[in-house]
Amino acid sequence: MPDPAVHAVILTLNNRADTLECLASVGALAYPRLRILVVDNGSSDGTPAAVREQFPAVEVIETGQNLGVPRGFNVGFRAALEAGADYVLMLNNDTTVAPDMLAEMVRTAEADRAVGIVMPKVLHYDHPDLVWST
């Protein structure tokens, strides 16, 4: 049986440098069935164009305005589910991820079908030895 399809939904509003760094780390995930979607919530700093130029395989949805975090993510979730995602990875644009994170999360979710949400350990960016959330 093939690995489940995962669609990463990354919400952004400006912060182009953070978004590009996030996409570089997500692009390095060791997971075979990953599709990456950026929902741009009305950036004015050229983020959508930079994403398209540097990451042409990434789908970009421009909302045209700041819909807020919940509505912005919902745009991406809807697109992911309509495209056949088995799982949706929700990320803010100021995150970076370890290469094995997604494979471990999917393995955990698949091990127990009663599991509805899986969250990785989150470390502080500037102090990776300090846990922010588990």
Side-chain angles (χ1 to χ4, degrees):
M1 185 169 167
D3 292 310
V6 177
H7 293 216
V9 175
I10 301 166
L11 184 66
T12 184
L13 174 60
N14 296 315
N15 296 316
R16 178 177 50 210
D18 285 350
T19 302
L20 298 175
E21 182 180 15
C22 175
L23 286 168
S25 77
V26 172
L29 283 168
Y31 192 80
R33 293 190 64 206
L34 175 63
R35 181 173 172 195
I36 304 170
L37 171 64
V38 168
V39 177
D40 185 82
N41 229 358
S43 291
S44 59
D45 69 346
T47 294
V51 168
R52 287 184 179 106
E53 178 182 319
Q54 294 185 36
F55 299 94
V58 171
E59 180 181 350
V60 178
I61 297 175
E62 294 185 63
T63 64
Q65 62 180 322
N66 185 353
L67 301 177
V69 173
R71 285 180 60 206
F73 269 119
N74 282 340
V75 168
F77 297 161
R78 192 173 306 110
L81 294 172
E82 288 174 358
D86 295 306
Y87 292 104
V88 176
L89 174 63
M90 174 182 173
L91 293 172
N92 289 324
N93 67 322
D94 63 349
T95 59
T96 58
V97 298
D100 63 342
M101 181 204 72
L102 185 56
E104 291 297 322
M105 290 175 65
V106 170
R107 188 175 4 266
T108 299
E110 289 288 295
D112 182 351
R113 299 307 293 170
V115 170
I117 295 175
V118 177
M119 180 180 166
K121 175 172 53 176
V122 179
L123 306 174
H124 284 266
Y125 182 84
D126 293 327
H127 302 282
D129 56 326
L130 184 61
V131 174
W132 184 77
S133 177
T134 58

